[in-house]
C-alpha cells in the first residue's frame, strides 16, 4: 500500500499547545463536541521573577525557554479518560519507518520527537534547533513523506504538513544523539464509545475554578537541568496580574535584549485561555439546565473578558515596538503605559467577579 492515513482534521478552535490540539483532533473524529474540551483545562496565571523580588527582572543567561518576564498562563488537560497510550522504543539500527507504518495500520496516531531545524520549511527550518513532538497520522510513499499536522508554518495554527522521510531521519537523529534513546508515543481512542457531554461533571468545573484562584510561590525548577539552581521564582494565582501591572515597565525593558517575536505568542496566552472558556456557559446550559436568559448574560460576560485580554495583548505588543524604536518616550507613550496598567488592574477585578458569578450559577 503506497498511501495510508487515519481520519483526523486540524483543531483550531483555540490554541492550547501542539500536543493538546492534536489530541483534541483525534477525539473530534468520534464526537465533534470534543471541540469544547479546552473549557475543562486546569489553568493558572503565572509570573516569573529572578530572585525573591518582582522588580529584579534581569534573568540569568541560559534560563529555560518557558521563563519569561511577561505575564503567562499555564494550562493542563487530562486526556486519560478518553485516550490510550503506548510507548515504543525502536532499536538504534532498527527499521523505524516500518515500525511507524505498522503502528498506523494498527490504528495508532504517533508522536515522534524531532528537531524542526531539519524540516524543509517552516519558522524553525534551518534557523532554530527545536525539539518538538511531531504528530504523524499517515504516510505517502509516492511523495516519500509522512503526513503530519503541524504549527510550524504559522505559529499557533495547526495545518497539514508533509515531512519527507529523509528529513524525518535527520530530525529524529538529532534528538536521538542528545538522549541516546528514542521513543515513539502511540495514541488511540479508548475502546468504549465516547460522548463528550456525558464525560464531564460539574465537580470538574468547580475544581478548575478553585485551581484558577489558588495562590502559590516557589523556586522554578528547570527540568532540563533539575539539579541546577536557576535563581528564578515562579508565582501563581490571580494576584500576579496586579504584580505584573506594578512592574510592567521594567519587565518590558528586560525584553529589549531578547527575541521579542518569540515571546509575542506568549503575550496572547491569557486571551487564548479566555477564548476557550467562552463556551463554558453553554456547557452549563447543556448539562445543568441553565435558563436561556442567564446563559446569554453569562456568555456576554465571558466574551467581554476575552475581548479585554485581547486588547491587552495587542496593546502590549504595539507599546513594545514604540519602546524599542523611539529614541525618547513622549508623554503619549507614557499615557498608553498608564492606560495599560489600569486595564490590568481592571482585569484582575473582572477575573474575580466572573469567577464569583460562575460559582453562583453552579451552586
Amino acid at each position: 500500500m503506497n498511501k495510508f492515513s487515519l481520519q483526523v482534521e486540524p483543531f483550531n478552535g483555540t490554541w492550547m499547545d501542539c500536543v493538546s490540539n492534536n489530541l483534541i483532533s483525534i477525539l473530534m473524529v468520534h464526537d465533534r463536541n470534543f471541540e469544547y474540551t479546552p473549557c475543562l483545562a486546569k489553568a493558572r496565571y503565572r509570573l516569573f521573577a529572578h530572585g525573591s523580588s518582582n522588580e529584579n527582572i534581569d534573568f540569568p543567561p541560559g534560563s529555560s525557554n518557558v521563563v519569561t518576564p511577561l505575564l503567562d498562563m499555564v494550562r493542563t488537560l487530562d486526556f486519560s479518560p478518553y485516550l490510550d497510550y503506548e510507548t515504543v522504543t525502536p532499536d538504534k539500527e532498527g527499521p523505524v519507518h516500518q515500525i511507524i507504518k505498522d503502528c498506523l495500520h494498527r490504528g495508532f496516531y504517533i508522536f515522534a520527537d524531532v528537531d524542526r531545524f531539519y524540516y524543509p520549511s517552516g519558522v524553525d527550518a534551518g534557523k532554530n534547533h527545536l525539539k518538538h513532538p511531531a504528530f504523524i497520522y499517515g504516510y505517502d510513499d509516492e511523495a516519500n513523506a509522512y503526513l503530519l499536522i503541524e504549527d510550524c508554518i504559522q505559529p499557533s495554527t495547526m495545518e497539514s504538513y508533509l515531512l519527507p522521510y529523509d528529513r524525518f531521519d535527520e530530525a529524529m537523529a538529532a534528538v536521538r544523539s542528545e538522549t541516546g534513546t528514542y521513543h515513539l508515543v502511540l495514541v488511540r481512542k479508548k475502546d468504549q464509545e465516547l460522548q463528550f457531554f456525558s464525560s464531564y461533571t460539574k465537580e470538574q468545573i468547580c475544581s478548575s475554578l478553585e485551581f484558577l484562584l489558588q495562590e502559590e510561590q516557589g523556586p522554578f525548577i528547570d527540568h532540563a537541568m533539575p539539579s541546577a539552581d536557576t535563581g528564578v521564582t515562579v508565582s501563581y494565582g490571580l494576584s500576579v496580574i496586579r504584580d505584573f501591572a506594578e512592574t510592567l515597565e521594567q519587565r518590558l525593558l528586560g525584553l529589549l535584549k531578547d527575541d521579542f517575536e518569540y515571546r509575542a505568542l506568549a503575550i496572547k496566552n491569557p486571551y487564548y485561555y479566555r477564548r476557550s472558556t467562552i463556551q463554558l456557559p453553554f456547557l452549563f446550559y447543556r448539562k445543568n439546565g441553565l435558563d436561556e436568559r442567564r446563559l446569554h448574560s453569562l456568555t456576554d460576560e465571558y466574551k467581554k473578558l476575552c475581548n479585554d485580554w485581547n486588547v491587552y495583548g495587542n496593546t502590549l505588543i504595539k507599546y513594545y515596538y514604540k519602546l524599542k524604536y523611539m529614541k525618547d518616550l513622549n508623554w503619549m507613550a507614557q499615557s498608553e503605559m498608564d492606560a495599560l496598567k489600569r486595564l490590568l488592574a481592571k482585569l484582575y477585578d473582572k477575573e474575580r467577579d466572573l469567577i464569583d458569578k460562575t460559582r453562583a450559577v453552579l451552586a
Side-chain angles (χ1 to χ4, degrees), residues 139-207:
Y139 64 88
D140 184 346
D141 284 341
E142 293 180 3
N144 288 312
Y146 287 116
L147 309 180
L148 276 59
I149 292 179
E150 269 285 1
D151 66 326
C152 64
I153 302 300
Q154 182 178 347
S156 302
T157 300
M158 308 305 291
E159 302 174 77
S160 297
Y161 186 82
L162 284 176
L163 180 60
Y165 296 147
D166 57 347
R167 295 299 184 93
F168 174 84
D169 289 339
E170 292 179 283
M172 180 190 70
V175 172
R176 179 177 255 159
S177 66
E178 290 181 8
T179 61
T181 59
Y182 192 79
H183 307 286
L184 302 173
V185 178
L186 316 181
V187 184
R188 65 180 174 187
K189 184 186 76 70
K190 287 183 179 292
D191 289 337
Q192 69 266 27
E193 187 63 30
L194 297 181
Q195 296 294 330
F196 175 78
F197 285 111
S198 61
S199 66
Y200 75 92
T201 64
K202 183 171 71 173
E203 287 70 27
Q204 279 180 282
I205 297 172
C206 290
S207 175

Side-chain angles (χ1 to χ4, degrees), residues 265-311:
L265 290 174
I267 290 174
K268 302 299 289 288
N269 278 345
Y271 161 71
Y272 290 133
Y273 165 63
R274 277 306 175 193
R275 180 179 170 185
S276 72
T277 61
I278 286 176
Q279 300 294 340
L280 263 179
F282 173 71
L283 299 192
F284 306 154
Y285 171 76
R286 180 70 182 263
K287 187 81 171 183
N288 301 306
L290 182 68
D291 65 77
E292 290 195 13
R293 181 184 62 81
R294 296 182 76 187
L295 164 66
H296 295 309
S297 175
L298 195 60
T299 299
D300 286 343
E301 295 288 336
Y302 273 90
K303 286 180 178 179
K304 289 175 185 176
L305 185 56
C306 174
N307 183 66
D308 284 347
W309 277 117
N310 194 32
V311 170

Side-chain angles (χ1 to χ4, degrees), residues 9 15 19 32 36 64 77 98 107 110 135 144 160 207-208 237 253-254 267 290 310-311 323 334-335 341 345:
E9 65 176 276
W15 178 250
V19 172
R32 188 77 190 185
Y36 298 117
S64 171
L77 269 170
Q98 191 58 52
I110 300 168
F135 177 67
N144 288 312
S160 297
S207 175
S208 295
L253 287 169
I267 290 174
L290 182 68
N310 194 32
V311 170
L323 193 65
Q334 185 58 50
S335 175
K341 289 183 176 181

Side-chain angles (χ1 to χ4, degrees), residues 325-336:
Y325 293 113
M326 289 175 63
K327 291 183 179 180
D328 297 304
L329 285 176
N330 57 28
W331 65 269
M332 183 177 294
Q334 185 58 50
S335 175
E336 290 177 3

